[in-house]
Amino acid sequence: MEAKALIPEDDLCCSVCFDIFKDPVILKCSHSFCRVCLQQFWEEKSSRECPICRRKASKEDLPPNLALRSIVESYLKQKTERETTDKTEARCSLHGEKVVLFCEHDKEPLCFICQTARKHRNHPVCPVEEAALELKEELKPALNLVKEKLKKFTEVEQGCKKTVEHIRSQAQHTERQIKAEFEKLQQFLREEEEARLAALKEEEEQKSRIMEEKLEHISGDISTLTDKITALETAMETKDTSFLKSYNNIKERAQCTLQDPELLSGALIDVAKHLGNLTFRVWEKMLGMVQYTPVMMDPNTARADLSLSDDLTTVRHTDTAQKCPDNPERFNRCVNVLGSEGFTSGKHSWEVKVGNKREWDVGVVKESINRKGDIAASPGKGYWVIMLRNGDEYRAAGVTDLTLKRKPQSIRVQLDYDGGEVSFFNSSDMSLIYTFKHTFTERLFPYFSPCLRDDGRNDEPLKICPVKVSVTVTSSQ
């Protein structure tokens, strides 16, 4: 503060640039200037003289004014510190004094002059530091809530990023599967096209060969007849005596025993056989390579350690969890997966192959079931399911134990939504296993659980069985 008190800022300015001295130099006349300013002044004037007193400067070297440089540096340092202090220390907007008190009644920071003002007179006050510490403590719960909120948003952000990656992976995998399926169809069509063109080519060659043989026979007969005609005409041109002597022989040679030629029936290409209902016949034959399942599994609902087949009809438990987002539809505790389509009306049925699995769950559930925790399956919780445990313990979930005469290899599930029934049958003889009765009020989804592998003893998958596909032709009336 001493530099500020002894030397005003104007006295620390160069007379040429009117700014704070930079690298000040001193002339013999005791006047000081910035080194660069003085040199530029001399260049412009083409004369080495003092810009103030015009005294000639005889020395080539310009000695630095070390004392002035020290004063300038000290002044600039103090100025910077003062500006920093002014920014960090709040001051009263009315009195310009430092704020050191806090009015607890008006919740305002005060300077000493404000404290004696009528507005705050007799109000309880405390030091700013004490008030700030107390109010900061009051804000900590709110701050913690905001931090928790930030944590949740950050977790959701990370989940969204993982979801974006999973969407890309799903799209790529699905694209490969679509291309593979269409390649199968295209390969079938190419082979079918080749087979039908080969059949056409074979018929063409066969019928062309028959016609060529027919032409060969006809050509031989024509040659025979031509020779006969030539011989008869030659004989008829001989003298009468000779003709008469040879008449009987000529007459015998004139006899023709060849039958009249006939066109072959069915000699043309059977175009109708090759083109008639061509696309329908190909489609009908294609039924042998396609399958239809009334229910498909939804991979977006499967727990991460469940593995679904590419056609979404088979599920098994694995030891390795896949990298997939914990989206709202996905189970994260129970080893479950739902069907891809829900039902709100009508009758629906599907068959699930359970094989020799020791444990499994099969049935239907309502859409709003809890998918993010453990839950005891029961109709009251929205589960209409039958299950097998330990290889021989059958149960209608949440209702009763079941006694089966034989171990089913496949379970048929029948849902009558409007009738309020879910029935289970042994597919081998269609014997009834159990029927749930309930008034359904929301969308129901097919439900599958292969349960845990249990050290490989429960390693078989659950598989949705395809249904027979047929083509029926009806005549229009």
Side-chain angles (χ1 to χ4, degrees):
M1 300 297 293
E2 184 179 358
K4 177 182 178 183
L6 296 178
I7 305 177
E9 182 172 327
D10 291 344
D11 293 341
L12 299 179
C13 292
C14 172
S15 301
V16 176
C17 65
F18 303 104
D19 200 356
I20 301 294
F21 283 110
K22 299 180 184 62
D23 189 15
V25 294
I26 187 169
L27 297 180
K28 189 175 181 180
C29 60
S30 299
H31 293 131
S32 295
F33 308 93
C34 299
R35 183 184 298 274
V36 174
C37 294
L38 183 60
Q39 290 176 342
Q40 291 177 348
F41 178 82
W42 284 349
E43 290 176 359
E44 293 175 359
K45 295 295 184 178
S46 300
S47 175
R48 296 172 61 85
E49 60 182 26
C50 174
I52 296 177
C53 65
R54 305 301 180 182
R55 182 176 177 179
K56 295 292 183 180
S58 59
K59 293 183 178 181
E60 293 290 335
D61 295 330
L62 297 177
N65 191 335
L66 299 179
L68 180 58
R69 177 188 296 177
S70 177
I71 294 173
V72 168
E73 290 176 352
S74 177
Y75 173 81
L76 292 176
K77 181 179 180 181
Q78 293 177 10
K79 182 179 180 181
T80 301
E81 291 175 351
R82 187 170 60 254
E83 290 175 351
T84 303
T85 301
D86 291 342
K87 290 180 180 179
T88 56
E89 293 183 354
R91 292 187 174 273
C92 177
S93 60
L94 294 177
H95 309 106
E97 297 295 329
K98 184 178 178 180
V99 174
V100 293
L101 300 174
F102 182 76
C103 178
E104 296 179 349
H105 181 273
D106 296 320
K107 304 298 181 183
E108 293 181 8
L110 309 174
C111 67
F112 283 114
I113 300 177
C114 291
Q115 180 187 11
T116 61
R118 182 178 301 174
K119 178 180 178 181
H120 302 288
R121 190 179 301 166
N122 300 325
H123 286 178
V125 296
C126 66
V128 167
E129 294 80 3
E130 181 179 330
L133 182 62
E134 181 179 348
L135 294 179
K136 285 177 182 179
E137 288 296 324
E138 290 182 8
L139 282 177
K140 280 187 178 180
L143 176 61
N144 291 334
L145 288 176
V146 175
K147 287 182 177 180
E148 286 295 322
K149 185 75 70 174
L150 174 62
K151 181 180 178 181
K152 292 180 180 179
F153 272 88
T154 302
E155 291 174 351
V156 172
E157 179 188 36
Q158 295 300 319
C160 289
K161 290 180 179 179
K162 291 180 179 179
T163 300
V164 170
E165 295 177 0
H166 191 67
I167 289 172
R168 186 180 299 109
S169 175
Q170 277 187 312
Q172 292 173 350
H173 177 75
T174 305
E175 179 181 352
R176 288 193 297 270
Q177 292 303 118
I178 291 174
K179 289 183 177 180
E181 290 300 316
F182 272 94
E183 177 58 30
K184 291 179 183 178
L185 296 176
Q186 292 167 0
Q187 181 63 27
F188 168 82
L189 292 175
R190 285 193 293 267
E191 292 175 354
E192 187 66 17
E193 178 186 13
E194 291 174 1
R196 291 182 177 273
L197 290 176
L200 174 62
K201 186 66 175 178
E202 182 181 1
E203 183 179 359
E204 177 191 8
E205 292 175 352
Q206 179 184 6
K207 292 190 172 181
S208 295
R209 184 169 58 254
I210 293 173
M211 291 305 299
E212 288 173 357
E213 292 175 356
K214 178 70 173 177
L215 285 172
E216 185 176 349
H217 286 299
I218 291 177
S219 297
D221 292 340
I222 290 175
S223 179
T224 300
L225 293 174
T226 301
D227 292 343
K228 188 181 290 291
I229 291 171
T230 301
L232 288 175
E233 288 178 344
T234 301
M236 291 173 66
E237 291 177 356
T238 59
K239 293 181 178 181
D240 293 342
T241 303
S242 299
F243 172 75
L244 292 174
K245 287 180 179 182
S246 304
Y247 174 73
N248 289 332
N249 186 31
I250 295 172
K251 182 178 179 181
E252 182 179 351
R253 292 170 60 189
Q255 299 300 317
C256 182
T257 59
L258 293 176
Q259 295 182 355
D260 291 342
E262 295 180 356
L263 294 176
L264 295 176
S265 177
L268 301 180
I269 295 293
D270 189 353
V271 176
K273 180 184 72 173
H274 296 287
L275 293 182
N277 292 318
L278 176 59
T279 54
F280 175 80
R281 297 302 176 193
V282 173
W283 176 53
E284 187 178 37
K285 189 174 180 180
M286 192 181 292
L287 292 179
M289 65 170 295
V290 299
Q291 288 186 340
Y292 174 78
T293 52
V295 169
M296 310 295 289
M297 297 177 186
D298 184 359
N300 295 334
T301 65
R303 201 172 88 161
D305 54 358
L306 290 182
S307 175
L308 273 62
S309 59
D310 289 335
D311 62 0
L312 305 179
T313 62
T314 302
V315 60
R316 71 167 73 238
H317 179 252
T318 64
D319 293 330
T320 304
Q322 304 177 55
K323 293 182 179 180
C324 53
D326 187 20
N327 48 296
E329 301 85 359
R330 191 179 306 280
F331 291 94
N332 66 356
R333 296 292 295 275
C334 299
V335 191
N336 304 335
V337 62
L338 300 186
S340 61
E341 181 181 359
F343 309 112
T344 56
S345 63
K347 296 180 178 180
H348 311 273
S349 65
W350 57 93
E351 186 174 313
V352 184
K353 182 179 179 181
V354 296
N356 294 314
K357 286 179 65 63
R358 291 175 51 81
E359 297 188 351
W360 47 259
D361 298 355
V362 172
V364 298
V365 297
K366 65 182 182 180
E367 185 174 17
S368 61
I369 60 170
N370 178 19
R371 308 188 190 192
K372 300 303 181 183
D374 296 325
I375 190 169
S378 67
K381 299 294 185 179
Y383 287 75
W384 296 272
V385 175
I386 64 171
M387 57 180 62
L388 170 64
R389 294 293 182 270
N390 301 318
D392 58 2
E393 300 173 9
Y394 294 92
R395 183 171 181 79
V399 180
T400 183
D401 294 333
L402 302 173
T403 301
L404 277 63
K405 295 181 178 179
R406 65 180 65 181
K407 182 181 179 68
Q409 294 292 302
S410 296
I411 302 294
R412 184 176 183 85
V413 185
Q414 288 189 179
L415 168 64
D416 182 356
Y417 190 99
D418 302 317
E421 291 185 353
V422 182
S423 299
F424 300 86
F425 300 86
N426 186 334
S427 299
S428 62
D429 57 8
M430 287 305 293
S431 57
L432 179 65
I433 298 175
Y434 189 79
T435 297
F436 290 97
K437 294 187 178 182
H438 188 83
T439 300
F440 304 121
T441 58
E442 64 176 276
R443 188 180 300 274
L444 301 182
F445 283 86
Y447 170 90
F448 312 90
S449 176
C451 298
L452 299 177
R453 291 184 62 193
D454 191 19
D455 297 329
R457 294 183 296 168
N458 193 46
D459 196 32
E460 292 186 48
L462 289 181
K463 179 177 177 57
I464 305 172
C465 301
V467 298
K468 184 178 180 181
V469 181
S470 61
V471 178
T472 302
V473 180
T474 57
S475 58
S476 59
Q477 300 296 328

